[in-house]
């Protein structure tokens, strides 16, 4: 949000080539680009942005949400369909948004720190916010808003109440940084590092570095580590400040891990003075980010000892909000470590996505108000809460209580977190989705603990950003107009139920598919309204399927007749069914030669309508069977054309599964079915797609034991060490889905960055690891599966497929869903 007042006429003068204004004096406070995330519709300006789906398709949705100010291409919208709107006409809506951000940025003379690099941008930004806040009122990029879209939205927050801005900038290909530089015009620049992120968009590391450095073309000071900049590259900026872990920079640091393994000791030399600092971070990335912050503070004039004092008090940055199961049938969205307007808006949008409960609730702390008008701030907060479907607000802090009259919903207020915790049993908090959003000083993590269901310590973490990324990767492969069906059977390949379906519904996929009716019923009860296909319906479930409007796969004449017989005899709308034809999988389906008999059956009833016809490819990911796959596609095409002619109407045709989406574009027909690729596992070994790991399975050490040479470990005395050594017992076993085949050294887990093998047989609830030579303690985290130990790697170790690894994870394992 911006507190600088712009009218629609003002913005038209800045960005539009033409306009048609009903109310030129209408005030714009918020910039909108997603019709699902409208805030303060009365004062919103909607940009119909280009993308995988043209934003002009959603003008009507934004209009229904109450928006009356639009930036569009003149030929893309029939404005006569909309009453009482202001229209700004441009040729490129993204460019117009960036023009507005450029103009807005120029209204403020205070310093702007811009951060770019391959990794660490958000951490450095958040730590600088902590370190510099005593002297500055800082506006910063929300979360990781650093793209061509995110940067202008970040700059729009700048206002006269701040005196420093910290803006992230990210790019993925050549030619993107110049537009960001024009908007940001940084006075100070930070290059965090150069790594392998987005390598595909650049011919070389040198090309990537040169592109990133374009951000600092007119900057006064540049802070960077010279190891990331080729000596042949000219670094822009009038003044440079270099840092390095090692020799060869203005700030030279050595880092050593303390004996207890929980802290690093940093020894630094700057201007011939030595400094020693102990910090509570043990990963090398955090140390590098920390030294980068140290260097920036020196570069802008902070005294060395002030920096040392503040750096040692740095707090870890939580960049994600987590969705967890709560007590009393609640769902908990935990975002309890930061609270400002930007991050609150992001969290509210995530809350709005959730449909599993009819009631939505916010537990909110006071926001930081140093240098701000409190009434204006909480008026903005109240405006943000409007339209987010909130039923209840519980506020903590004296400022919220003082402004209670602004909030139009069921409210309760407490002065302190302790008061709220004492009163939780009396508040009857149940059957709700609850967003917990608090500034760190309020200790809202204690509220999260009180409301979260305490379950198995072994945890499967599901990265919803990665899942959304993978979804978009596959969407980008689809031909125009091709629909998308997503498989959420088997508990979404082990990842979850409504938690995954909510995200897919929010992203407007066309169909969901489950294996059994009870999975579909659970989704319906959780508020999922998308069409749901049941692949193995079963005659005994037909009545429930009809009740919950689930659509059956029909694969045989007996099933067809049974389903028709269950439909009500009274006149009703024809019920949608999905016909399966067997083109070579030989599992389920009508035979291609059945087409005439099937037509006769279908034409004798008006109780059903064929919504789609599909088939199942047997080996679309295996190159040696490509001729077989092509023949399946041909048989399917012939069958569906015959059926279309016979029925006299069109239906959706689909045969392409995950691997066929990329390998057989001619098989996309009207719709494709996305399965395991959504969860970050490629089904095509011949084409490398930029998928991201979605799941991370972790557990903890229960006990550490010293074992003498010759002693045995575990059931059947199968476990032995080669000599004296140490084992760690961890809290995962075959009842959690960690197969017994991983026993006796076949399986490996990651502790402190080191792979360690299993020892002995896998037990039901635990197993043992050989940690000889590693300093480990009870309670330490152990990675069972993740980016470093992918489902593919685990599957290969025991001779199976990634599907089995993912779907075997027991539902007693706690699931935590997070969004960064």
């Amino acid at each position: 949000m911006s507190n600088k007042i712009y009218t629609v006429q003002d913005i038209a003068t800045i960005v539009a080539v033409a306009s048609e204004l009903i109310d030129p004096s209408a005030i714009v406070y918020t910039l909108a680009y997603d019709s699902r995330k409208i805030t303060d519709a009365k004062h919103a300006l909607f940009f119909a942005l280009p993308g995988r789906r043209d934003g002009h398709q959603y003008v009507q949705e934004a209009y229904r949400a109450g928006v009356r100010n639009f930036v569009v291409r003149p030929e893309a919208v029939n404005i006569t369909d909309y009453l009482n709107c202001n229209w700004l006409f441009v040729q490129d809506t993204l460019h117009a948004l960036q023009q507005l951000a450029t103009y807005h940025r120029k209204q403020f003379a205070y310093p702007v720190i811009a951060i770019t690099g391959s990794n660490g941008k958000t951490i450095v930004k958040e730590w600088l916010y902590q370190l510099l806040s005593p002297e500055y009122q800082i506006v910063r990029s929300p979360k990781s808003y650093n793209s061509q879209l995110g940067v202008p939205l970040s700059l729009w927050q700048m206002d006269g109440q701040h005196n420093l801005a910290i803006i992230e900038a990210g790019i993925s290909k050549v030619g993107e940084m110049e537009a960001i530089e024009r908007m940001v015009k940084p006075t100070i620049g930070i290059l965090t590092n150069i790594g392998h992120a987005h390598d595909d968009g650049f011919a070389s590391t040198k090309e990537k570095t040169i592109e990133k450095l374009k951000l600092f073309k007119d900057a006064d000071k540049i802070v960077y580590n010279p190891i990331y900049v080729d000596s042949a590259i000219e670094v822009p900026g009038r003044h440079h400040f270099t840092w390095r872990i090692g020799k060869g920079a203005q700030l030279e640091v050595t880092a050593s891990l303390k004996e207890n393994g929980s802290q690093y000791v940093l020894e630094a030399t700057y201007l011939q003075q030595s400094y020693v600092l102990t910090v509570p971070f043990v990963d090398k990335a955090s140390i590098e980010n920390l030294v980068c912050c140290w260097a920036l503070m020196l570069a802008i004039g902070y005294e060395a000892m002030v920096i040392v004092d503040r750096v040692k008090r740095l707090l870890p940055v939580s960049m994600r909000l987590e969705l967890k199961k709560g007590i009393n049938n609640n769902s908990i969205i935990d975002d309890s470590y930061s609270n400002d307007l930007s991050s609150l808006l992001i969290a509210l949008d995530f809350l709005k996505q959730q449909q599993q409960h009819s009631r939505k609730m916010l537990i909110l702390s006071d926001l930081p108000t140093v240098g701000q008008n409190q009434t204006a701030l909480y008026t903005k907060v109240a405006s943000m809460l409007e339209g987010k479907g909130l039923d209840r607000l519980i506020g903590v802090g004296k400022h919220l209580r003082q402004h209670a009259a602004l909030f139009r919903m069921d409210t309760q207020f407490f002065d302190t977190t302790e008061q709220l915790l004492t009163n939780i049993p009396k508040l009857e908090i149940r059957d709700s989705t609850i967003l917990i959003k608090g500034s760190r000083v309020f200790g809202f993590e204690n509220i999260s603990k009180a409301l979260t269901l305490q379950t198995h310590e072994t945890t499967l973490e599901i990265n919803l950003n990665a899942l959304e990324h993978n979804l978009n990767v596959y969407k980008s492969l689809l031909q125009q107009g091709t629909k998308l069906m997503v498989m959420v059977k088997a508990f979404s390949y082990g990842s979850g139920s409504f938690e995954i379906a909510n995200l897919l519904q929010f992203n407007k996929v066309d169909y969901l598919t489950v294996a059994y009716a009870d999975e579909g019923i659970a989704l319906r009860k959780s508020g999922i309204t998308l069409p749901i296909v049941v692949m193995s319906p079963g005659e005994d479930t037909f009545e429930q399927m009809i009740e919950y409007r689930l659509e059956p796969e029909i694969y045989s004449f007996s099933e067809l007749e049974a389903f028709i017989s269950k439909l009500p005899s009274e006149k009703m709308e024809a019920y949608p069914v999905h016909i399966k034809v067997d083109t070579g999988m030989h599992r389920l389906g009508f035979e291609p030669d059945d087409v005439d008999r099937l037509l006769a059956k279908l034409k004798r009833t008006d109780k059903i309508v064929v919504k789609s016809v599909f088939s199942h490819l047997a080996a679309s990911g295996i190159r040696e069977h490509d001729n077989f796959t092509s023949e399946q596609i041909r048989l399917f095409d012939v069958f569906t054309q015959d059926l279309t002619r016979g029925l006299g109407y069109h239906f959706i045709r689909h045969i392409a599964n995950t691997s066929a989406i990329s390998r057989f574009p001619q098989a996309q027909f009207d719709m494709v079915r996305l399965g395991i690729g959504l969860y970050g596992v490629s089904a095509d070994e011949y084409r490398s797609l930029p998928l991201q790991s979605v799941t991370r399975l972790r557990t903890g050490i229960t006990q550490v034991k010293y074992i003498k040479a010759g002693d045995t470990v575990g059931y059947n005395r199968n476990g032995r060490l080669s000599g004296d050594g140490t084992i760690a017992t961890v809290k995962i076993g075959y009842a959690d889905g960690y197969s017994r085949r991983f026993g006796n050294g076949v399986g490996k887990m990651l502790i402190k960055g080191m792979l360690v093998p299993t020892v002995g047989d896998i037990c039901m609830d635990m197993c043992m690891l050989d940690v000889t030579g590693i300093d480990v303690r009870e309670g330490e985290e152990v990675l069972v599966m993740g980016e470093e130990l992918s489902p593919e790697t685990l599957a290969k170790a025991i001779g199976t497929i990634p599907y089995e690894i993912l779907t075997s994870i027991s539902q007693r394992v706690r699931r935590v869903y997070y969004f960064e």
Side-chain angles (χ1 to χ4, degrees):
M1 289 187 179
S2 165
N3 69 350
K4 182 175 177 61
I5 303 300
Y6 290 94
T7 65
V8 172
Q9 180 65 68
D10 294 332
I11 296 176
T13 302
I14 298 166
V15 306
V17 295
S19 61
E20 187 163 321
L21 306 182
I22 298 295
D23 181 9
S25 62
I27 302 298
V28 172
Y29 290 141
T30 64
L31 307 182
Y33 64 96
D34 189 329
S35 59
R36 302 162 298 181
K37 301 178 179 179
I38 301 296
T39 299
D40 191 9
K42 180 180 178 181
H43 300 108
L45 176 63
F46 183 85
F47 286 79
L49 298 178
R52 282 178 297 272
R53 295 192 178 186
D54 188 345
H56 294 86
Q57 298 176 20
Y58 302 102
V59 167
Q60 187 176 65
E61 287 187 19
Y63 180 82
R64 287 174 182 163
V67 177
R68 294 296 181 266
N69 308 306
F70 296 90
V71 180
V72 298
R73 297 195 315 274
E75 74 282 2
V77 178
N78 183 1
I79 65 172
T80 60
D81 293 341
Y82 304 93
L83 300 176
N84 301 319
C85 289
N86 291 315
W87 299 96
L88 280 61
F89 301 113
V90 300
Q91 291 305 311
D92 185 329
T93 50
L94 177 60
H95 179 65
L97 174 62
Q98 294 176 341
Q99 276 185 297
L100 179 58
T102 301
Y103 179 89
H104 184 67
R105 156 69 179 96
K106 289 178 180 177
Q107 308 312 301
F108 305 98
Y110 51 76
V112 174
I113 299 174
I115 306 171
T116 193
S118 297
N119 299 291
K121 297 184 290 294
T122 302
I123 294 290
V124 169
K125 177 198 67 187
E126 293 298 323
W127 275 349
L128 285 177
Y129 180 78
Q130 291 183 38
L131 292 164
L132 304 180
S133 287
E135 289 76 37
Y136 294 97
Q137 304 304 314
I138 302 171
V139 58
R140 67 197 193 279
S141 300
K143 300 287 183 180
S144 53
Y145 275 36
N146 58 31
S147 65
Q148 300 288 313
L149 170 60
V151 168
L153 295 177
S154 299
L155 292 169
W156 184 250
Q157 299 177 105
M158 294 178 69
D159 61 33
Q161 297 182 50
H162 299 103
N163 55 18
L164 176 66
I166 307 178
I167 305 295
E168 283 187 56
I171 54 171
S172 58
K173 59 185 178 182
V174 172
E176 289 187 332
M177 192 58 90
E178 290 180 357
I180 293 178
E181 190 278 333
R182 283 194 297 270
M183 289 186 281
V184 178
K185 284 297 177 188
T187 47
I188 302 166
I190 299 174
L191 179 69
T192 57
N193 57 48
I194 300 293
H196 294 293
H198 302 296
D199 273 354
D200 292 346
F202 303 93
S204 65
T205 301
K206 182 177 180 181
E207 184 180 65
K208 182 194 294 187
T209 306
I210 291 171
E211 182 70 18
K212 287 184 179 291
L213 288 173
K214 289 178 181 178
L215 178 61
F216 309 136
K217 180 168 70 79
D218 295 320
D220 181 53
K221 293 185 175 71
I222 311 297
V223 176
Y224 67 99
N225 185 336
I227 70 170
Y228 294 119
V229 182
D230 188 293
S231 58
I233 297 174
E234 183 178 352
V235 179
R238 285 177 283 279
H239 305 284
H240 297 169
F241 190 101
T242 58
W243 62 270
R244 189 169 183 174
I245 299 178
K247 299 291 184 180
Q250 289 162 270
L251 176 65
E252 298 176 339
V253 179
T254 59
S256 58
L257 193 63
K258 291 190 75 172
E259 287 186 6
N260 64 12
S262 63
Q263 293 179 314
Y264 257 107
V265 176
L266 306 182
E267 298 182 16
T269 302
Y270 173 64
L271 295 180
Q272 299 180 328
Q273 294 290 317
S274 297
Y275 305 92
V276 178
L277 179 62
T278 300
V279 294
F281 305 106
V282 296
D283 62 292
K284 292 182 179 179
S286 291
I287 298 304
E288 188 168 277
N289 292 332
L290 187 151
V291 176
C292 184
C293 294
W294 194 343
L296 180 282
M297 295 182 75
L298 288 170
I300 62 176
Y302 276 80
E303 294 182 6
M305 292 312 299
V306 172
I307 302 171
V308 168
D309 180 62
R310 290 188 188 174
V311 164
K312 70 183 180 184
R313 291 188 277 116
L314 270 180
L315 297 170
V317 174
S318 175
M319 295 187 297
R320 69 190 205 183
L321 52 83
E322 296 182 342
L323 175 63
K324 301 178 282 192
K325 286 188 176 181
I327 61 173
N328 300 329
N329 192 38
N330 292 309
S331 295
I332 306 300
I333 301 173
D334 186 353
D335 197 11
S336 58
Y337 291 97
S338 65
N339 198 17
D340 55 62
L341 287 176
S342 299
S343 65
L344 175 59
L345 182 57
I346 293 169
L348 286 169
D349 285 334
F350 185 75
L351 172 64
K352 190 177 179 180
Q353 288 183 35
Q354 307 307 311
Q355 302 300 322
Q356 59 269 31
H357 302 291
S358 60
R359 291 179 57 79
K360 291 184 172 65
M361 174 178 166
L362 170 63
I363 302 178
L364 180 69
S365 79
D366 281 351
L367 280 74
T369 57
V370 178
Q372 297 192 57
N373 181 297
Q374 286 190 23
T375 300
L377 174 65
Y378 287 103
T379 299
K380 286 182 181 179
V381 172
S383 176
M384 288 171 63
L385 302 190
E386 292 288 329
K388 297 301 181 183
L390 279 178
D391 300 286
R392 188 176 184 186
L393 168 67
I394 295 179
V396 177
K398 295 179 180 178
H399 296 158
L400 272 168
R401 182 190 287 279
Q402 289 167 3
H403 295 89
L406 295 171
F407 300 98
R408 302 173 185 174
M409 60 195 70
D410 180 15
T411 57
Q412 290 90 29
F413 295 95
F414 300 90
D415 286 340
T416 66
T417 301
E418 290 70 25
Q419 288 179 6
L420 171 57
L421 287 168
T422 301
N423 283 275
I424 278 179
K426 305 174 186 176
L427 294 174
E428 297 186 356
I429 300 173
R430 60 177 61 253
D431 304 316
S432 301
T433 304
I434 305 165
L435 170 60
I436 301 174
K437 193 81 178 80
S439 300
R440 190 180 292 270
V441 294
F442 280 87
F444 267 25
E445 63 271 18
N446 296 314
I447 298 173
S448 178
K449 288 177 183 177
L451 294 177
T452 299
L453 190 65
Q454 302 303 314
T455 55
H456 202 317
E457 185 175 327
T458 298
T459 302
L460 183 68
E461 298 178 337
I462 295 96
N463 184 339
L464 297 179
N465 298 88
L467 192 141
E468 193 169 51
H469 167 85
N470 297 338
L471 177 67
N472 289 330
V473 167
Y474 283 98
K475 280 184 175 180
S476 71
L477 301 176
L478 301 185
Q479 298 159 11
Q480 188 170 5
T482 303
K483 296 180 184 295
L484 181 61
M485 172 183 279
V486 179
M487 316 301 286
V488 292
K489 61 181 182 176
F491 201 55
S492 295
Y493 293 71
S495 295
S497 177
F498 61 78
E499 300 90 349
I500 304 299
N502 272 328
L503 183 136
L504 296 172
Q505 181 164 279
F506 182 75
N507 280 277
K508 298 183 181 295
V509 305
D510 299 286
Y511 276 86
L512 299 179
T513 302
V514 297
Y516 298 107
D518 57 352
E519 296 175 300
I521 292 169
L523 293 178
R524 285 281 184 256
K525 288 181 176 179
S526 298
I528 300 302
T529 58
L530 283 172
I532 299 174
V533 176
V534 179
M535 305 294 273
S536 299
E539 187 175 345
D540 59 339
T541 67
F542 284 161
E543 291 180 354
Q544 281 186 300
M545 288 181 59
I546 294 166
E547 179 185 354
Y548 286 96
R549 200 67 185 175
L550 305 175
E551 302 175 14
E553 168 189 316
I554 301 294
Y555 52 81
S556 70
F557 289 107
S558 60
E559 189 196 26
L560 176 61
E561 291 168 356
F563 185 72
I564 292 172
S565 71
K566 293 291 184 181
L567 289 167
S569 56
E570 64 269 16
K571 187 66 177 175
M572 62 176 286
E573 183 181 349
Y575 202 94
V577 300
H578 301 262
I579 302 294
K580 184 169 188 177
V581 57
D582 183 1
T583 57
M585 179 77 166
H586 296 327
R587 187 172 63 181
L588 294 173
F590 293 95
E591 296 299 318
D593 292 343
D594 291 334
V595 63
D596 291 335
R597 184 182 169 198
L598 178 59
L599 272 169
K601 293 276 188 184
L602 292 171
K603 292 170 77 171
R604 276 203 298 266
T605 180
D606 59 0
K607 287 187 174 184
I608 63 172
V609 61
V610 176
K611 192 69 177 178
S612 84
V613 178
F614 69 103
S615 189
H616 204 120
L617 296 175
S620 60
I622 303 175
R623 183 172 291 172
E624 64 186 271
H625 298 307
D626 281 358
N627 288 338
F628 183 86
T629 301
S630 296
E631 177 62 11
Q632 280 195 273
I633 296 167
R634 187 193 69 79
L635 287 172
F636 176 73
D637 192 19
V638 171
F639 181 90
T640 52
Q641 287 192 42
D642 289 345
L643 202 64
T644 301
R645 282 192 293 269
L647 289 175
Y649 60 84
H650 290 282
F651 45 75
I652 298 169
R653 302 191 295 164
H654 53 109
I655 191 173
N657 54 6
T658 299
S659 56
I661 292 173
S662 59
R663 298 199 66 236
F664 293 91
Q666 73 274 24
Q668 291 190 10
F669 291 102
D670 304 305
M671 185 161 69
V672 299
R673 301 190 302 273
L674 177 58
I676 199 165
L678 178 69
Y679 307 97
V681 177
S682 176
D684 176 10
E685 56 190 79
Y686 305 105
R687 179 174 180 181
S688 178
L689 295 174
L691 302 179
Q692 294 180 2
S693 178
V694 170
T695 52
R696 183 175 184 270
L697 180 61
R698 60 179 177 83
T699 189
I701 295 175
T702 303
Q703 191 173 28
V704 179
K705 285 182 176 290
Y706 175 76
I707 303 295
K708 294 180 181 179
D711 284 357
T712 61
V713 177
Y715 286 122
N716 305 311
R717 302 193 67 201
N718 284 329
R720 284 181 170 81
L721 301 182
S722 58
D724 292 351
T726 309
I727 64 164
T729 301
V730 296
K731 301 176 182 180
I732 189 169
Y734 60 78
D736 303 299
Y738 194 68
S739 172
R740 291 187 78 250
R741 290 172 286 174
F742 284 117
N744 299 297
V746 174
K748 293 178 175 59
M749 300 184 194
L750 206 64
I751 301 178
K752 290 187 171 179
M754 289 175 274
L755 283 175
V756 296
T758 58
V759 181
D761 292 351
I762 305 299
C763 308
M764 181 181 288
D765 308 304
M766 61 193 76
C767 61
M768 287 67 76
L769 304 173
D770 181 358
V771 294
T772 304
I774 304 174
D775 181 21
V776 298
R777 286 171 170 73
E778 293 177 9
E780 286 195 85
E781 181 177 297
V782 179
L783 183 69
V784 183
M785 180 179 70
E787 195 165 351
E788 307 89 335
L789 284 168
S790 67
E792 295 97 322
T793 301
L794 297 183
K796 187 175 181 180
I798 60 172
T800 187
I801 57 176
Y803 295 77
E804 182 182 343
I805 298 297
L806 291 174
T807 59
S808 294
I809 300 171
S810 167
Q811 291 197 36
R812 82 173 187 176
V813 171
R814 183 167 64 120
R815 266 76 172 171
V816 172
Y817 303 83
Y818 66 93
F819 184 84
E820 295 180 325

